Amino acid sequence: MNESALCKIMNFNEQIEQLQKIYDNSKNIVFFGGAGVSTESGIPDFRSQDGLYAQQWKYPPETIISRSFFDHDPVEFYRFYRQKLIIKDAEPNAAHLALAKMEQKGKLSAIVTQNIDGLHQKAGSKNIFELHGSTLRNYCMNCKKPYDVQFIADSENSPDKLPHCTECGGLVKPDVVLYEEGLDDNIMNGAIQAISRADTLIIGGTSLVVYPAAGLIRFFRGDNLVLINKSETPTDQYAQLVIHDSIGKVLSNLDI
């Protein structure tokens, strides 16, 4: 093993040791996560080189997943949505499982996530604030009848390629926050309260550039801000610990 490789291992081990001390001494941890948490489950993020925003499509993805586009061209919206945002057979990875275990141990009080895949719930986490909604929940825009994700997937076989309510015939919409839509006030307030009460905030798998979600960290008043992300973020300089590595790798090395 060469010297640089040994140095990297030592640096990583030292970071894990520091994270372990923070974890052991914390009583109220909140985790704030983004797309990077789910990429290890095979779900592409939006802004990496291989993410959705780098792929070719008839329209830019930012345009397609906007509310005005949904209202103007729901057929094209759902064609994109079914192919790119409904990820079948995705399973929780090491990060999701570690966070669920933290909650079970009474160390983690809440998860604030920008993801819409429902993998935190599938891993067993309970107290989750889904800032951007979830693909698992869908509702009729007319009568509000709820539908599961499979109903949306199966709508590809309907005559007009759209999911229509079986009760009133209204259009069914995913409970996902589209561009041009505001975040849910109750979820935002719950996330703010959780973050403001935490003694440790662990941020993982997010570039911290999407607002208003990224602005939530300004409500943190605790002792330890930890950032775990493969690339640098604008908040790195303010953290007590920064680890540029896989969130799953880092959390799986923690003694929970």
Side-chain angles (χ1 to χ4, degrees), residues 75 155 158-164:
V75 173
S155 67
S158 65
D160 61 0
K161 306 293 185 182
L162 294 174
H164 290 287

Side-chain angles (χ1 to χ4, degrees), residues 191-203:
I192 289 171
Q193 290 183 22
I195 290 173
S196 65
R197 294 169 181 167
D199 56 14
T200 294
L201 177 62
I202 301 176
I203 301 175

